[in-house]
Amino acid sequence: MFSARRLTALACPLLILSAAACTPSTSHQGAKPPSAKPSASSPDSKNGTLHLTDAIDRLKVANEVRAGYERDKFHLWIDADHDGCDTRKEVLLAEAVKKPRQGKSCKLTGGSWRSYYDDKTVTDARKLDIDHVVPLAEAWDSGASKWTAQRREQYANDLGAERSLVAVSLGPNRTKGDKDPAEWMPPVKDATCTYATDWVSAKLRWKLTADRAEVKALGAVAAECPDATVKFVPAP
């Protein structure tokens, strides 16, 4: 899981979520198969956890604006806790199925990872991307254009939530690009519940808006994921 992720210099609490009916991976252990409807004991808003459909309803709907976006406006891969490992390597260490060897300047060798987008095992960290579940351009379109540079840096390196950043295979991540769920979903069908939950969690955490096509697509996925739940902590 994410016990290895270093948070000593970060004040953000961990985001916790559960997305049942999804392919198990290092970061999605214990998922249960879907049932016809949520059980009576399923978490709800009364105990701080939302069903995915209710979480989607909390998204503020607004048109997206791409004007002015440049990737460089999000400062990537900082070493927030000054331990020699930048954000990319922190995620790799946290999500490894088999831990890599950590050398000087946090050089990583060996190890293995499970990419849940395509349900593949990867044994070379160079063949992994650290994906912003909600892409930087999408974040810009959805509210980050109004943020300070410091706020965008915090978003780009969000280790305060386990699922804002995920290690995945190069292929599906490059195909995804800056697309939202109305335009792209993971190629492995069993990953869609997890992905939709991760997406909504990140948007709510950072108070990002969603357009109508995006909300419609998320709703269609949620209808197939009756046990998927979200618990998020707003970013500080």
Side-chain angles (χ1 to χ4, degrees):
M1 294 293 286
F2 291 84
S3 58
R5 182 163 293 178
R6 295 171 175 84
L7 300 173
T8 54
L10 301 174
C12 312
L14 288 179
L15 173 152
I16 305 171
L17 60 86
S18 168
C22 305
T23 301
S25 68
T26 59
S27 46
H28 295 276
Q29 297 289 350
K32 298 179 180 178
S35 58
K37 59 182 179 180
S39 65
S41 61
S42 295
D44 56 29
S45 57
K46 292 182 180 179
N47 61 19
T49 303
L50 297 169
H51 289 290
L52 178 55
T53 51
D54 296 328
I56 294 169
D57 288 342
R58 292 201 179 190
L59 293 171
K60 181 180 178 181
V61 179
N63 293 329
E64 295 181 353
V65 180
R66 181 62 58 91
Y69 170 72
E70 295 176 6
R71 186 175 176 83
D72 289 346
K73 291 182 177 180
F74 293 82
H75 185 196
L76 291 166
W77 308 158
I78 63 172
D79 180 7
D81 58 3
H82 309 292
D83 69 344
C85 297
D86 63 18
T87 303
R88 171 183 166 81
K89 290 177 180 176
E90 295 282 14
V91 177
L92 289 172
L93 286 167
E95 295 198 5
V97 177
K98 178 183 177 182
K99 295 295 182 184
R101 294 182 296 278
Q102 184 176 335
K104 186 177 180 181
S105 300
C106 203
K107 181 179 180 179
L108 305 181
T109 56
S112 65
W113 294 261
R114 194 69 180 173
S115 167
Y116 91 88
Y117 286 0
D118 51 0
D119 195 25
K120 291 184 178 179
T121 296
V122 179
T123 57
D124 184 348
R126 294 172 299 179
K127 296 182 179 180
L128 290 165
D129 276 340
I130 304 304
D131 183 36
H132 294 84
V133 172
V134 175
L136 300 180
E138 171 71 20
W140 177 273
D141 299 350
S142 307
S145 61
K146 300 176 182 178
W147 294 350
T148 64
Q150 181 182 16
R151 184 73 168 170
R152 288 194 288 270
E153 178 180 289
Q154 290 172 338
Y155 178 83
N157 299 274
D158 186 12
L159 293 176
E162 292 182 353
R163 304 303 302 166
S164 291
L165 301 172
V166 292
V168 294
S169 302
L170 300 179
N173 189 51
R174 305 294 169 85
T175 301
K176 170 187 172 181
D178 59 9
K179 300 180 180 71
D180 70 20
E183 304 164 306
W184 185 90
M185 291 296 290
V188 174
K189 183 175 177 57
D190 286 347
T192 57
C193 295
T194 300
Y195 185 73
T197 304
D198 289 352
W199 182 280
V200 175
S201 299
K203 284 235 162 173
L204 290 175
R205 173 171 167 78
W206 289 93
K207 297 182 180 179
L208 296 170
T209 62
D211 64 33
R212 294 187 183 281
E214 176 186 341
V215 170
K216 182 178 179 180
L218 288 167
V221 173
E224 302 298 322
C225 309
D227 292 332
T229 59
V230 176
K231 186 174 182 179
F232 71 96
V233 176

